[in-house]
Amino acid sequence: MGEFDIIGRYFDRGPARRVDLGVGDDCALLGASVSDQRAITTDMLVAGRHFFADVDPRSLGHKALAVNLSDLAAMGARPEAFTLAIALPAFEPQWLDAFAAGLFSLADAEGCELIGGDTTRGPLCISITAIGRLPAGSALRRDGDQPGDDVWVSGALGGAAAVVAMRAGQLAGRDATHLPETLALRLDWPQPRLALGTELRHLASAAIDVSDGLLADLGHIADRSRLALQLQAERVPVDPSLSALGAARALDFALAGGDDYELAFAAPAENRLAIEALGARLGLPLSRIGVALAGEGVSVADAHGRPVAVTARGFDHFAGEPQH
Ligand code: ADP
Ligand code: MG
């Protein structure tokens, strides 16, 4: 029983009847006016599950909003407002000062206003619902990919997951000391790719943000678009800081690690030059990593076309639970 089996069995009641798009994409879509839609998304961060309880509260405030804005970016929406529900184990003014500073510096930078929420005592848990806006019919959905489209991803992958592994003590001493300290920024201060998302509305056919791992998240585009995505291993932008771990292990982190909050997207081949120009303009590398074809699933091949076995899969909170 996986996270998505639970959603599918208990919470996904089929295509939305009263709104434009319901369960199943990075955001839901609601008509806002004749010309506009609102995009709505919720993401929750739980202490001990999504972050270490002693994490810097300033970075936690930033990240709690950033992961939600990343879902708006994945639809091509501009942030407008958000709500904040927070459970706190105790009143700690210094912690709250820092948390609020991190939260509002990102909110203010993106013009996104806190409009409400809920505050309670309990195990530390933060749930944000973010609301964005976009021109009607322009959203980047997971189901828009077409056969023959290129598959792209922004930035560099695997850094955040390597930091999680290091902090969890899963990297042996030498490996851990060879990771640069700046890599922690990739985990603690993710940058939602909002400018990329809005620009891609004109260039991409489908998009998703990479929160659970590249293969797992591209799997959602493959499922929803009913296509096979074939990736070339040597084109996957592995975070250069991971080179000390060896090529195979670094590639594993890039393909299956989560928390990168880059955008993976599909686009027609005729948009290649425009996408490369967009990456140059934004100062954000955009890598063409594969192609969409008839079929199903996501596969990875090496430079000789041989399949690459990926030892780890993406993150699933309920993977391994019995089916019942
Ligand atoms: P994301 O990683 O983009 O935040 P998720 O993988 O968490 O998306 O969720 C997949 C889809 O299932 C999304 O459309 C999300 O809104 C929906 N979803 C997740 N949990 C629930 C729930 N408890 N009730 C209804 N919809 C849910
Ligand atoms: Mg998402």
Side-chain angles (χ1 to χ4, degrees):
M1 179 61 59
E3 180 183 334
F4 299 103
D5 300 317
I6 295 180
I7 296 168
R9 196 197 283 188
Y10 297 101
F11 302 126
D12 186 350
R13 307 179 74 193
R17 280 159 295 178
R18 295 178 185 82
V19 301
D20 297 340
L21 183 66
V23 171
D25 216 304
D26 292 298
C27 295
L29 297 173
L30 279 65
S33 69
V34 185
S35 57
D36 270 13
Q37 284 173 313
R38 284 212 165 78
I40 302 187
T41 180
T42 299
D43 259 309
M44 180 159 61
L45 298 183
V46 177
R49 188 81 209 170
H50 298 93
F51 59 92
F52 299 94
D54 61 352
V55 72
D56 168 18
R58 187 181 288 263
S59 73
L60 186 61
H62 168 92
K63 184 165 179 173
L65 182 58
V67 300
N68 279 280
L69 299 191
S70 178
D71 279 319
L72 294 184
M75 302 299 283
R78 282 292 314 156
E80 189 176 21
F82 67 105
T83 64
L84 167 68
I86 186 164
L88 296 164
F91 172 57
E92 285 181 38
Q94 280 180 342
W95 191 97
L96 279 164
D97 271 340
F99 177 84
L103 179 78
F104 286 119
S105 74
L106 177 60
D108 293 346
E110 297 299 346
C112 187
E113 199 165 0
L114 179 59
I115 55 167
D118 194 25
T119 305
T120 173
R121 191 187 288 265
L124 183 58
C125 174
I126 302 136
S127 177
I128 286 180
T129 295
I131 302 162
R133 219 172 160 109
L134 71 172
S138 71
L140 296 165
R141 297 165 51 144
R142 296 176 179 180
D143 60 7
D145 195 2
Q146 301 294 321
D149 280 354
D150 294 323
V151 179
W152 297 77
V153 71
S154 65
L157 302 175
V163 175
V164 173
M166 185 180 70
R167 290 194 185 154
Q170 290 161 358
L171 292 185
R174 193 179 159 279
D175 281 348
T177 51
H178 279 73
L179 292 181
E181 267 175 36
T182 49
L183 201 58
L185 296 176
R186 296 291 295 150
L187 179 67
D188 295 334
W189 295 88
Q191 300 300 317
R193 302 304 187 192
L194 287 157
L196 175 62
T198 52
E199 295 287 335
L200 286 178
R201 289 200 309 249
H202 313 289
L203 296 170
S205 55
I208 189 166
D209 65 323
V210 183
S211 55
D212 294 335
L214 181 69
L215 295 184
D217 289 316
L218 281 178
H220 295 307
I221 289 188
D223 282 352
R224 295 262 156 188
S225 298
R226 299 176 186 278
L227 289 174
L229 306 186
Q230 292 185 355
L231 310 187
Q232 288 173 262
E234 81 278 5
R235 287 176 168 267
V236 173
V238 180
D239 195 311
S241 308
L242 304 188
S243 56
L245 303 179
R249 196 122 166 268
L251 180 65
D252 253 15
F253 276 118
L255 291 173
D259 266 331
D260 292 309
Y261 297 101
E262 295 295 344
L263 294 187
F265 56 98
E270 67 252 32
N271 290 345
R272 272 181 200 176
L273 288 180
I275 291 170
E276 279 160 14
L278 173 62
R281 187 148 54 80
L282 296 175
L284 178 65
L286 301 177
S287 305
R288 186 160 54 82
I289 57 173
V291 64
L293 298 166
E296 58 180 40
V298 183
S299 58
V300 188
D302 68 13
H304 308 286
R306 289 182 301 236
V308 172
V310 182
T311 38
R313 279 274 152 183
F315 196 75
D316 183 324
H317 287 281
F318 292 92
E321 292 281 321
Q323 202 77 34
H324 292 294

